[in-house]
Amino acid sequence: MRIVIAGGHGQIALRLERLLHARGDEVAGIVRRPEQAGDLLAAGAEPVVCDLESASVGDVARHLEGADAAVFAAGAGPGSGAARKDSVDRGAATLFADAAEAAGVRRFVVVSSMGADQEPPEGTDPVFAAYLRAKGAADADVRARARLDWTILRPGRLTDDPGAGQVTLADATGRGAVSRDDVAAVLAALLDEPGTAGRTLELIGGDVPVVDAVRNVASH
């Protein structure tokens, strides 16, 4: 497959790029800064420099032409304020979905966040609340698109622990942690499993091998 990843320099995206390259897929990662290109090349991905906060739908659609799948893994990242949570975590996600539709790319996988469907509890840090609202709005936008075979993945608290290769994946898992390695492995498996289209799934650590966890979800 040819897979294009938005947010190609993110911690999960770089892990996913390595996995996809190792299994023989062709992968491109969209990055904002040219100096990030070397890290993508080292991961086996083709770097594509494009700022999703200022690009047009047509600009992004050109980068998606000929792709079999698109993955939205971009985020404003730590240290950014509420305005950029909206412009990246919501705005760029919507733009990327528009571009996928324009380029005729049906398979569309989103890295979201647990808790994105609820109003943040009182006392939540304002910037984190803005992030959750932006993710929730982006997810709602993607879910409404009949021209995309979308899957939304909502990991729990992310860690840098080595991947266990075993997870809990379900419509609702309850709170928990999951390694970025295991998130990347689940994303790779979701790209192979069209039966997960139209699903919003939560992910935490667990005791089911990744491929089995994805297969189990697809069969229910």
Side-chain angles (χ1 to χ4, degrees):
M1 290 198 290
R2 176 171 171 80
I3 298 149
V4 179
I5 302 172
H9 194 257
Q11 296 184 68
I12 290 170
L14 286 167
R15 288 166 166 84
L16 177 59
E17 286 155 7
R18 291 186 202 104
L19 290 176
L20 296 175
H21 173 70
R23 75 182 197 184
D25 288 327
E26 184 183 336
V27 57
I30 296 176
V31 295
R32 195 160 50 96
R33 299 202 297 270
E35 61 267 26
Q36 296 171 332
D39 290 337
L40 270 74
L41 289 168
E46 169 199 342
V48 175
V49 179
C50 177
D51 186 346
L52 295 177
E53 287 179 272
S54 58
S56 70
V57 171
D59 291 336
V60 182
R62 280 190 286 279
H63 298 310
L64 283 162
E65 283 173 9
D68 299 291
V71 178
F72 185 81
S80 56
R84 287 205 68 229
K85 301 302 185 194
D86 186 68
S87 63
V88 179
D89 292 281
R90 183 200 57 77
T94 300
L95 174 79
F96 198 55
D98 287 341
E101 289 184 339
V105 180
R106 289 201 63 95
R107 190 71 176 112
F108 194 84
V109 177
V110 177
V111 183
S112 183
S113 173
M114 201 173 281
D117 265 347
Q118 298 113 29
E119 180 60 17
E122 197 172 330
T124 301
D125 172 76
V127 174
F128 187 64
Y131 165 77
L132 290 174
R133 290 189 188 106
K135 282 293 193 188
D139 292 354
D141 176 88
V142 168
R143 284 178 179 144
R145 295 175 184 259
R147 290 164 60 193
L148 295 180
D149 295 329
W150 54 266
T151 302
I152 294 169
L153 183 67
R154 291 178 165 171
R157 182 176 55 81
L158 297 169
T159 76
D160 288 324
D161 296 339
Q166 295 183 314
V167 297
T168 300
L169 180 70
D171 295 328
T173 61
R175 297 279 170 173
V178 63
S179 73
R180 289 179 171 88
D181 285 351
D182 286 333
V183 176
V186 168
L187 289 168
L190 288 172
L191 287 166
D192 280 344
E193 184 44 85
T196 58
R199 301 289 294 275
T200 301
L201 301 167
E202 293 186 352
L203 173 67
I204 58 174
D207 55 11
V208 180
V210 165
V211 172
D212 293 339
V214 170
R215 190 179 296 131
N216 292 344
V217 163
S219 65
H220 290 91

